[in-house]
């Protein structure tokens, strides 16, 4: 079987002779490797909302983001499960950049970059 019938019926062609097998893999040069991702920015302000329930972490963020220069990063520490959806949604709604979410031993750390 060759051609279309091989593809239809799933038969694998016979193994190639040793002289026709693929050559050894070419080593990847250092310049071709994917660069390491940059480390997260150091926050200009950290808001500790651990132990606070929704909507307090968002209210604290909205009140204190004005004190950070444009382009600055804010870290919000929260352990309320609603914050995992509320903080990114607030950033989208207010046109700020949601940078990252990191797990903490008890809760999460949200990084937000002030856009305006």
């Amino acid at each position: 079987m060759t051609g279309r019938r091989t593809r239809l019926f799933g038969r694998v062609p016979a193994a190639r002779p040793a002289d026709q097998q693929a050559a050894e893999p070419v080593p990847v040069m250092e310049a071709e490797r994917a660069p390491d991702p940059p480390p997260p920015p150091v926050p200009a302000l950290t808001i500790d909302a651990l132990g606070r329930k929704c909507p307090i972490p968002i209210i604290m963020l909205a009140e204190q983001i004005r004190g950070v220069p444009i382009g600055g990063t804010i870290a919000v520490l929260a352990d309320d499960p609603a914050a995992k959806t509320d903080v990114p949604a607030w950033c989208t709604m207010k046109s700020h950049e949601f940078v990252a979410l990191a797990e903490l031993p008890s809760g999460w750390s949200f990084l937000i970059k002030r856009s305006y």
Side-chain angles (χ1 to χ4, degrees):
M1 285 183 168
T2 59
R4 183 171 181 247
R5 296 191 84 199
T6 301
R7 288 190 303 272
L8 290 175
F9 296 104
R11 290 203 176 167
V12 179
R16 293 188 224 169
D19 60 327
Q20 292 182 358
Q21 288 188 1
E24 291 185 29
V26 178
V28 177
M29 298 185 71
E30 191 64 35
E32 295 175 345
R33 294 177 197 243
D36 291 335
V42 177
L45 173 68
T46 300
I47 299 171
D48 186 359
L50 293 170
R52 309 276 177 108
K53 298 296 176 194
C54 180
I56 300 302
I58 298 298
I59 292 171
M60 293 172 74
L61 173 60
E63 288 175 348
Q64 296 181 32
I65 197 167
R66 294 182 210 112
V68 174
I70 294 173
T73 306
I74 302 101
V76 178
L77 310 178
D79 54 2
D80 182 16
K84 281 184 89 170
T85 56
D86 288 353
V87 173
W90 182 87
C91 291
T92 301
M93 185 177 71
K94 295 295 186 178
S95 300
H96 293 294
E97 182 182 346
F98 181 73
V99 179
L101 168 68
E103 294 279 334
L104 297 176
S106 62
W108 303 275
S109 173
F110 304 91
L111 286 178
I112 298 106
K113 184 176 179 182
R114 182 178 177 195
S115 297
Y116 61 89

